[in-house]
Amino acid sequence: MAVDITGHDHGRVTTRVTWENDKDFVDERVAATVNAVSADGRRTEGPWMLVRDPSDKKRFTTAEALPPGRWKVSVEVGHPALGRDEEDITVAATERTKTPPPPPAPASHPPTATTAAAEAPPRLPGTAVAAGGVLLAGGAAAVLIVRNKRRGRT
């Protein structure tokens, strides 16, 4: 994928996503995230999902807006192919205080297993760690029960 961060619109990151070889627009669903780190490295924003701009089929944007300041923004596309871009963006306080246009509505396609998986919010790492801990504890308990039964302790 060719990913090109083109700037922002009232703090909302704008991006073009096209096929790398022929620069044709991607007419299928795109799963992509946007992350931003402030210039001083103290603040982060995202991950945010990119949504298609209904007025331009090659343009994607975020529903969320960056606060005023200088940002290192990265966009990573995971579906239908891999792509990435990173740019520095400056959002002026005056741009952010204007009334921004409403965010574009997501396309209303009936969800399928593939699109539902692509649109699912990212799971927190803590959830996986907790689940792994529960499985590990359950496995250890089962080993102890079997060992004690074999030794004649019930």
Side-chain angles (χ1 to χ4, degrees):
M1 306 268 26
V3 180
D4 181 32
I5 298 172
T6 57
H8 71 91
D9 183 11
H10 300 286
R12 292 188 179 99
V13 177
T14 57
T15 306
R16 287 201 181 266
V17 179
T18 56
W19 292 108
E20 190 165 13
N21 293 335
D22 58 13
K23 301 298 182 210
D24 282 346
F25 72 92
V26 178
D27 58 353
E28 56 193 282
R29 205 171 280 274
V30 171
T33 57
V34 177
N35 289 287
V37 178
S38 62
D40 62 8
R42 291 193 226 176
R43 297 182 298 162
T44 61
E45 296 290 336
W48 295 335
M49 186 171 70
L50 278 181
V51 293
R52 191 176 302 272
D53 184 337
S55 66
D56 181 350
K57 54 188 168 183
K58 288 186 184 177
R59 184 176 179 225
F60 290 80
T61 187
T62 57
E64 302 83 2
L66 288 169
R70 290 182 351 167
W71 299 92
K72 170 74 79 180
V73 177
S74 63
V75 174
E76 296 191 22
V77 177
H79 179 78
L82 300 178
R84 185 177 201 290
D85 192 20
E86 189 173 273
E87 293 290 333
D88 291 321
I89 292 179
T90 300
V91 178
T94 56
E95 292 175 293
R96 186 66 171 90
T97 56
K98 294 178 187 174
T99 305
S108 59
H109 298 290
T112 64
T114 304
T115 59
E119 294 175 353
R123 293 182 183 219
L124 300 176
T127 305
V129 172
V134 168
L135 289 173
L136 185 60
V143 167
L144 290 174
I145 290 170
V146 169
R147 190 179 85 189
N148 286 339
K149 282 187 178 187
R150 286 186 180 164
R151 290 185 178 175
R153 298 180 203 163
T154 51

